[in-house]
């Protein structure tokens, strides 16, 4: 089995894994980090979203062996010390989840989204200047499904962190 | 998933030498999924995602884009936003941010159809198992082809990007296992199903896409519109890419490509012939749309795509000729 070395939430880790192992299964099964969730396992639901080298991806569709040397941030790495990140706090105060299963993916996705906005990266609803709005958030979060339907509060949580009226 | 050998290529030359018996792995967003379903069962994966193929270079021949550039990086590149806005819109219309971050330009071209009978291994599909039949013909075929289909296959190509590339007359550069290279017009990369729907494109076994070149001076008026069942994260029912210039009040350098209607991005040559040199008018646009769709054949559930395609052509031409979408010179 190939040996894979990467950095997860700031810690260097090495593991042996079958070449067929997805990054998601490496995190959950091999490394025991079960914060990242498996929903559909086909890239359709976004529950497995993690941030790799600064951009968000579906970890279920990515082979672990391809991530040699990469830097991965999972939901376990979003908190600042013992305190929640502003986005995590906003998810609590805005009641942005019900069952919570999709929440790790929503949080990783939304964390990356705020960085994409800050970098000025466009979406299909962007006209000229990139600016956070409900429309932008809904378009950019379309890869994260919530079967409980907490979408309105998820949008409010993301807007509140960006300092926009929620 | 079937076991496979994994090889990380150090160069494009290494990749094609190692690749003949397997598949090239770019972002993997489609290939890995198909491997999980055992629709794709390669003996070897040659990982080309770390080749030095993520450059975007501007030159006299145009914008040369490495095949490994991610869909999101290409969509957000300042020169693409400025000079090829229909390509940026097409890319951003596809998939989700997570998928666009991983998916590559080369891989986007080579993604497989999303025909549900191709994905369902318990149903007949000539594309998946040649000679097994096509359950889409008498099945739920709302998403299927209205142009260029055959009795063997009515699947459509799912890409937005490839439709934009076809309309922009981009060129695909490849490297073959024997070390030779070739350039293929993007509009000719994919093929119609005919009797061999298992082949999506004209690339040979082991031939690797290395770059895509966008022409230096595309038409100034550009537009991409995607009609879909949800406002985000859905494949096209029908999509359209249109580009032209207005010179002395007449249409010049017009190109139109349709998505979601055929086994390949569909260049609307007949509509273009009607339009080229003409003065914009509702009558002219309708004539162009009728000329293009005269050959269209519905399969039952997708009959509505014929009228929808005509209306999309007319609406896109009208908006563009009224200057609603002109890009900066």
């Amino acid at each position: 089995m190939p040996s894979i070395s990467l950095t997860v939430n700031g810690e260097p880790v090495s593991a042996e894994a079958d070449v067929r192992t997805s990054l998601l299964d490496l995190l959950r099964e091999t490394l025991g980090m079960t914060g990242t969730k498996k929903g559909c396992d086909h890239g359709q639901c976004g529950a497995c979203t993690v941030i790799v080298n600064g951009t968000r991806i579906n970890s279920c569709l990515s082979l672990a062996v391809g991530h040699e040397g990469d830097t991965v941030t999972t939901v376990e790495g979003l908190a600042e010390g013992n305190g929640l990140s502003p986005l995590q706090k906003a998810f609590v105060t805005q009641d942005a989840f019900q069952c919570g299963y999709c929440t790790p993916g929503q949080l990783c996705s939304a964390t990356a989204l705020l960085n994409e906005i800050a970098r000025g990266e466009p979406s299909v609803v962007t006209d000229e200047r990139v600016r956070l709005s409900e429309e932008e958030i809904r378009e950019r979060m379309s890869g994260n499904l919530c079967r409980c339907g907490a979408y309105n509060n998820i949008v409010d949580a993301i807007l509140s962190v960006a300092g926009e009226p929620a | 998933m079937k076991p496979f050998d994994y090889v990380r290529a150090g160069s494009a030359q290494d990749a094609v030498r190692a690749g003949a018996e397997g598949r090239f792995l770019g972002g993997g967003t489609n290939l890995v999924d198909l491997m999980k379903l055992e629709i794709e069962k390669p003996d070897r994966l040659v990982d080309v995602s770390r080749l030095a193929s993520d450059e975007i270079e501007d030159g006299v021949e145009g914008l040369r884009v490495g095949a490994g550039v991610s869909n999101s990086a290409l969509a957000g590149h300042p020169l693409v936003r400025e000079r090829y806005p229909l390509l940026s819109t097409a890319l951003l219309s596809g998939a989700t941010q997570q998928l666009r971050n991983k998916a590559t330009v080369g891989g986007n071209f080579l993604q497989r159809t999303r025909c549900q009978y191709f994905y369902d291994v318990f149903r007949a599909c000539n594309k998946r198992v040649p000679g097994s039949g096509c359950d889409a013909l008498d099945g739920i075929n709302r998403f299927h082809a209205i142009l260029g289909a055959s009795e063997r296959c009515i699947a459509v190509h799912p890409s937005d990007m490839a439709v934009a590339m076809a309309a922009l007359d981009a060129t695909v550069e490849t490297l073959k296992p024997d070390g030779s290279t070739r350039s293929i017009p993007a509009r000719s990369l994919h093929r119609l199903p005919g009797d061999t729907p298992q082949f999506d494109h004209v690339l040979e076994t082991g031939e690797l896409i290395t770059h895509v070149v966008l022409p230096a001076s595309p038409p100034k008026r550009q537009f991409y519109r995607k009609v879909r069942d949800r406002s985000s994260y859905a494949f096209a029912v029908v999509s359209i890419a249109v580009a032209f210039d207005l010179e002395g009040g007449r249409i010049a350098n017009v190109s139109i490509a349709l998505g979601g209607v055929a086994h390949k991005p569909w260049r609307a040559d007949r509509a273009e012939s009607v339009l080229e040199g003409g003065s914009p008018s509702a009558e002219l646009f309708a004539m162009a749309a009728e000329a293009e769709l005269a050959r269209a054949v519905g399969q039952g559930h997708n009959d509505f795509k014929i009228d929808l395609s005509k209306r999309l052509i007319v609406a896109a031409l009208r908006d563009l000729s009224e200057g609603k979408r002109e890009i900066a010179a």
Side-chain angles (χ1 to χ4, degrees):
Chain A
M1 288 200 291
S3 175
I4 303 155
S5 298
L6 64 172
T7 301
V8 181
N9 299 329
E11 299 288 328
V13 296
S14 284
E16 290 193 346
D18 185 286
V19 75
R20 293 168 287 184
T21 309
S22 66
L23 176 60
L24 172 62
D25 284 341
L26 183 85
L27 291 168
R28 288 182 56 85
E29 310 296 334
T30 311
L31 300 175
M33 302 178 66
T34 54
T36 308
K37 296 295 185 272
K38 180 181 283 191
C40 69
D41 211 24
H42 290 283
Q44 297 177 5
C45 76
C48 69
T49 302
V50 298
I51 302 169
V52 176
N53 302 335
T55 62
R56 50 178 160 153
I57 66 166
N58 300 109
S59 61
C60 73
L61 288 184
S62 203
L63 295 172
V65 69
H67 286 283
E68 176 70 28
D70 280 353
T71 298
V72 180
T73 301
T74 70
V75 69
E76 291 99 330
L78 296 182
E80 296 162 0
N82 289 324
L84 298 177
S85 76
L87 190 70
Q88 287 174 310
K89 285 182 195 160
F91 265 59
V92 174
T93 57
Q94 300 291 334
D95 202 17
F97 50 86
Q98 192 177 119
C99 84
Y101 194 82
C102 73
T103 310
Q106 302 278 1
L107 285 166
C108 284
S109 209
T111 299
L113 178 158
L114 293 169
N115 290 330
E116 289 153 13
I117 296 271
R119 290 196 296 262
E121 296 173 11
S123 82
V124 76
V125 301
T126 305
D127 277 333
E128 306 239 325
R129 190 172 66 84
V130 179
R131 167 182 171 277
L132 201 63
S133 66
E134 176 173 340
E135 186 187 21
E136 283 280 6
I137 291 170
R138 287 187 183 275
E139 163 58 27
R140 290 165 189 262
M141 292 297 287
S142 69
N144 291 84
L145 304 188
C146 170
R147 293 297 300 271
C148 301
Y151 297 112
N152 291 341
N153 294 357
I154 292 170
V155 171
D156 286 349
I158 298 170
L159 275 173
S160 73
V161 169
E164 300 274 344
Chain B
M1 196 185 292
K2 303 279 190 200
F4 54 86
D5 291 330
Y6 173 86
V7 181
R8 182 175 297 144
S11 67
Q13 286 73 19
D14 286 348
V16 292
R17 275 195 289 270
E21 291 159 30
R23 286 277 192 278
F24 298 118
L25 176 68
T29 56
N30 187 215
L31 180 57
V32 172
D33 193 31
L34 291 169
M35 287 169 64
K36 288 185 181 191
L37 298 165
E38 298 193 356
I39 293 167
E40 294 274 8
K41 292 170 279 194
D43 293 326
R44 172 178 286 186
L45 271 192
V46 179
D47 188 344
V48 294
S49 66
R50 300 201 182 196
L51 300 184
S53 59
D54 59 353
E55 74 278 10
I56 299 177
E57 293 170 345
D58 196 25
V60 286
E61 58 171 348
L63 197 67
R64 195 155 182 266
V65 179
V69 172
S70 75
N71 285 193
S72 51
L74 185 61
H77 193 279
L79 278 177
V80 175
R81 296 286 287 170
E82 177 189 317
R83 199 186 295 164
Y84 314 98
L86 83 78
L87 174 61
S88 182
T89 305
L91 283 160
L92 294 172
S93 300
T96 65
Q97 187 69 33
Q98 289 98 314
L99 292 166
R100 291 189 293 270
N101 284 341
K102 199 79 168 70
T104 63
V105 169
N108 189 317
F109 274 118
L110 301 185
Q111 63 179 307
R112 309 299 309 271
T113 183
R114 263 52 172 204
C115 172
Q116 67 268 36
Y117 299 99
F118 174 73
Y119 266 76
D120 184 346
V121 296
F122 299 105
R123 306 302 292 267
C125 173
N126 287 318
K127 185 180 281 297
R128 179 167 31 77
V129 182
S132 63
C134 171
D135 276 349
L137 286 171
D138 296 316
I140 297 168
N141 49 40
R142 183 171 177 275
F143 275 94
H144 291 74
I146 54 171
L147 288 164
S150 75
E151 292 176 354
R152 304 290 176 89
C153 182
I154 58 171
V156 298
H157 196 268
S159 173
D160 293 292
M161 183 202 79
V163 175
M165 293 288 193
L168 289 171
D169 284 318
T171 303
V172 175
E173 296 181 348
T174 70
L175 178 65
K176 292 189 193 184
D178 66 5
S180 65
T181 61
R182 66 169 168 161
S183 295
I184 305 167
R187 62 178 296 179
S188 306
L189 178 64
H190 299 93
R191 57 185 294 284
L192 292 176
D195 290 334
T196 53
Q198 66 269 32
F199 300 116
D200 296 345
H201 52 72
V202 301
L203 298 185
E204 297 168 14
T205 302
E207 186 172 3
L208 177 70
I209 296 177
T210 58
H211 296 86
V212 182
V213 181
L214 291 154
S217 301
K220 292 289 184 291
R221 292 167 190 253
Q222 298 181 22
F223 182 60
Y224 187 83
R225 184 171 174 193
K226 181 178 187 179
V227 176
R228 46 185 164 175
D229 288 339
R230 296 187 300 241
S231 61
S232 184
Y233 196 20
F235 288 98
V237 176
V238 179
S239 68
I240 186 166
V242 183
F244 63 82
D245 290 310
L246 271 185
E247 294 176 354
R250 296 192 172 271
I251 294 170
N253 311 314
V254 63
S255 67
I256 301 176
L258 298 170
V261 297
H263 197 255
K264 62 177 186 178
W266 186 266
R267 256 309 271 271
D269 301 304
R270 294 187 182 190
E272 292 172 8
S273 300
V274 171
L275 294 163
E276 187 71 23
S279 298
S281 72
E283 293 72 26
L284 183 70
F285 301 157
M287 274 174 54
E290 291 294 336
E292 193 59 46
L293 275 299
R295 293 169 289 175
V297 179
Q299 303 292 335
H301 296 122
N302 68 349
D303 293 350
F304 74 98
K305 281 191 180 182
I306 299 173
D307 277 343
L308 178 58
S309 300
K310 291 179 189 173
R311 291 200 300 271
L312 260 182
I313 291 172
V314 170
L317 289 166
R318 183 192 58 219
D319 281 4
L320 268 185
S321 62
E322 290 171 359
K324 291 182 183 172
R325 311 252 170 196
E326 191 164 14
I327 61 171

